[in-house]
Amino acid sequence: MADMQVVRSMDSTDTLGSRRLAGLLTATAGDRPGYRALAQGVRTLLLDGRIALRTRLPAERELATALGVSRATVTAAYDLLRTDGFAHSRRGSGTWTALPDGRRPSSVAAFTDEDDVIDLALAAPYAPQDALRAAFDAVSGGLARHAATAGYHPYGLPELRAAVARRFTRRGLPTLPEQILITSGAQQAVSLTLAVLGRPGDRVMVENPSYATVLDAVRRGGLRAVPVPVTDEGWDAEVAESALRQTAPRLAYMVPDFHNPTGHLMPVEQRLRLLDTVRRTGTWMIVDETLTDIALDVPAPTPFTSLAGRGTGEQLVTVGSLSKTHWGGLRIGWVRAGSQMITELATHRVPTDIATSTLDQLVAVELVERTESVLAERLPLLREQRAALTGALAEQLPEWRWQLPPGGLCLWVDLGAPVSSALATAALDHGVRIEGGARFGADPGTHQHRLRIPYALPAEVCVEAVRRLAATMAAGLPTAAREHDRTRHWVA
């Protein structure tokens, strides 16, 4: 049923309100935009996933009034969108969003490796070669046994569920295998939870900025984001508590461990205050622990849920994966929750993909057991890469500012001016693919002065990427949004 509700929010009955579109366009196209800027703003919002496909745009007169421009301006913008294939009209039923052949929204864009382009949109490390090879060698015997079965495990391979449960227990959160669901990455874990617990129109408290792909999932599920800021000082406990009390969100999604993209680590006292408020408001909380083990300057934190008092733990859903600690190519994630919630999630995932690959799960069993040895090699390397990146930035772009994160995989850089989207567009001409800070904003148009720069790539590649970014800045950025036909990609 939840699947059908999500689909309905994106089908031909969906209408975009003039005030909402005007707010989005003001952030992307500026106040009182000309028709070309207005059309470009709609294209940008569509490709970023902030406007869904097959959505009816507001009537020309309504949008013109909301924007404070002439109706002729909106008419010309809609004409340009239709000409370029980003909209089409139905006689008597208005103008609808579309995509021309070859263009895809960022959340589903095909990814193509280009040898001459450094990809800084992905904050994910390469696979640990030796550990991965050893894991594949170790599963050969077990694979023969599983090959004699159908190979479907909607809850996850029993061996992997047990291994993940043991790791939670060792970290200080007693966990049974029945409390674990294996998913195809942490993103599926979050999306499943949003679909099971949320309905279109429900409020979801999210951090601002936050992980871009989860924000996409919130929007496409028809959920209403309630943003709470994460600043240079971290979380404001009073603001978060106020948002929970006053808006009564159905769900909250948070990354307390080495927050993506800022790298902050939530203090214990704030965790306790947040847990107390969640208990009193009855809000379900999704805790993203994907980056928990990437602790570079501090000990790895204990599980957030281990701090929950009696009764509160049932409101907490913890998600994690092997993508940041090991390798995203395996697509192994998990949910840790009450056994009843695990059953609901497993039932919901069957119509989408039935189960995660058995081969990948067998490899994951070996890798989970080797986590400490993998981290012993990976963390020093990440510290070196972080030092190389910050050293190159200090030398070549000294006007930029950042705080050194105690863990995680990226810097959240302050550019000193709202130019990140223009920089991201121009940087591709210099061989760097990167997303501007607005991609991580829960509110439209925010964080234009920020840039997320990962240090997941080899040190020499990080240094070369900074050199190219510096060359991009030196060449000058466009003073206004320029039209372009680049395919936008997903962000990890």
Side-chain angles (χ1 to χ4, degrees), residues 53-120:
L53 291 175
R54 299 182 300 281
T55 295
R56 185 168 63 188
L57 293 170
E60 295 170 2
R61 188 185 304 278
E62 293 177 3
L63 184 57
T65 300
L67 285 170
V69 300
S70 69
R71 181 178 178 180
T73 297
V74 177
T75 300
Y78 280 12
D79 286 343
L80 184 57
L81 288 169
R82 284 189 287 266
T83 299
D84 291 345
F86 286 91
H88 65 88
S89 295
R90 301 175 187 173
R91 183 178 298 275
S93 62
T95 300
W96 302 77
T97 58
L99 281 180
D101 291 341
R103 300 303 299 270
R104 306 175 190 179
S106 58
S107 57
V108 295
F111 181 80
T112 302
D113 290 324
E114 300 177 67
D115 292 337
D116 59 340
V117 174
I118 298 174
D119 198 336
L120 293 182

Side-chain angles (χ1 to χ4, degrees), residues 186-218:
Q187 182 60 39
Q188 186 189 45
V190 174
S191 295
L192 280 172
T193 307
L194 291 174
V196 167
L197 293 177
R199 296 292 182 270
D202 283 350
R203 293 183 176 90
V204 181
M205 190 178 82
V206 296
E207 297 147 322
N208 190 22
S210 187
Y211 181 44
T213 311
V214 167
L215 294 177
D216 288 342
V218 169

Side-chain angles (χ1 to χ4, degrees), residues 123-202:
Y126 299 154
Q129 297 293 326
D130 293 341
L132 188 62
R133 188 179 301 110
F136 269 100
D137 291 342
V139 304
S140 56
L143 182 59
R145 175 170 56 85
H146 284 279
T149 71
Y152 297 116
H153 299 276
Y155 285 91
L157 201 65
E159 300 97 307
L160 183 54
R161 297 178 76 195
V164 173
R166 284 195 298 272
R167 180 152 181 80
F168 270 111
T169 300
R170 288 196 298 269
R171 293 177 53 225
L173 179 60
T175 301
L176 298 173
E178 304 91 83
Q179 295 176 279
I180 300 296
L181 173 73
I182 303 302
T183 60
S184 299
Q187 182 60 39
Q188 186 189 45
V190 174
S191 295
L192 280 172
T193 307
L194 291 174
V196 167
L197 293 177
R199 296 292 182 270
D202 283 350

Side-chain angles (χ1 to χ4, degrees), residues 431-452:
V432 175
R433 188 170 81 85
I434 195 167
E435 291 287 352
R439 184 75 177 89
F440 305 90
D443 288 322
T446 57
H447 310 299
Q448 281 287 2
H449 63 300
R450 293 282 190 172
L451 201 64
R452 190 190 75 162

Side-chain angles (χ1 to χ4, degrees), residues 203-485:
R203 293 183 176 90
V204 181
M205 190 178 82
V206 296
E207 297 147 322
N208 190 22
S210 187
Y211 181 44
T213 311
V214 167
L215 294 177
D216 288 342
V218 169
R219 297 181 187 110
R220 290 186 173 275
L223 303 167
R224 292 185 289 170
V226 178
V228 295
V230 181
T231 67
D232 287 340
E233 287 71 43
W235 295 263
D236 188 319
E238 292 185 2
V239 171
E241 291 171 7
S242 177
L244 286 167
R245 289 194 304 268
Q246 295 180 16
T247 66
R250 169 70 172 166
L251 290 144
Y253 168 80
M254 306 198 79
V255 189
D257 301 340
F258 314 123
H259 174 258
N260 186 357
T262 68
H264 289 310
L265 179 63
M266 184 181 288
V268 172
E269 58 272 18
Q270 287 192 356
R271 296 174 187 237
L272 292 171
R273 289 180 61 177
L274 190 59
L275 283 168
D276 182 60
T277 308
V278 164
R279 177 186 59 79
R280 288 186 281 110
T281 60
T283 301
W284 284 88
M285 186 172 180
I286 304 173
V287 181
D288 191 335
E289 287 193 347
T290 305
L291 292 160
T292 295
D293 287 322
I294 310 299
L296 302 180
D297 300 328
V298 295
T302 57
F304 189 97
T305 303
S306 66
L307 300 174
R310 183 182 299 274
T312 308
E314 290 300 312
Q315 297 170 225
L316 304 181
V317 177
T318 302
V319 302
S321 80
L322 294 183
S323 296
K324 310 301 186 182
T325 53
H326 295 74
W327 186 41
L330 285 175
R331 306 310 306 137
I332 294 293
W334 52 80
V335 180
R336 193 268 183 200
S339 57
Q340 183 176 351
M341 175 56 60
I342 292 299
T343 295
E344 292 186 45
L345 292 169
T347 301
H348 192 84
R349 71 94 55 94
V350 168
T352 57
D353 72 343
I354 301 179
T356 303
S357 160
T358 295
L359 177 57
D360 286 1
Q361 290 186 79
L362 286 169
V363 173
V365 172
E366 299 295 326
L367 290 177
V368 168
E369 300 296 353
R370 290 176 166 85
T371 296
E372 301 309 324
S373 61
V374 169
L375 291 174
E377 295 183 5
R378 171 142 288 172
L379 298 185
L381 186 61
L382 287 172
R383 293 186 191 101
E384 293 177 9
Q385 292 167 188
R386 183 184 61 177
L389 176 62
T390 56
L393 287 171
E395 179 183 350
Q396 300 192 48
L397 291 160
E399 65 277 15
W400 290 5
R401 296 288 181 265
W402 63 89
Q403 292 183 350
L404 196 68
L409 291 166
C410 55
L411 300 180
W412 186 235
V413 178
D414 187 343
L415 307 180
V419 297
S420 65
S421 293
L423 172 58
T425 298
L428 197 54
D429 292 332
H430 293 261
V432 175
R433 188 170 81 85
I434 195 167
E435 291 287 352
R439 184 75 177 89
F440 305 90
D443 288 322
T446 57
H447 310 299
Q448 281 287 2
H449 63 300
R450 293 282 190 172
L451 201 64
R452 190 190 75 162
I453 309 181
Y455 42 82
L457 298 175
E460 63 275 12
V461 179
C462 290
V463 172
E464 173 60 19
V466 173
R467 186 195 68 77
R468 297 184 186 186
L469 289 174
T472 303
M473 294 295 292
L477 300 179
T479 57
R482 68 185 187 186
E483 297 181 30
H484 57 86
D485 292 318

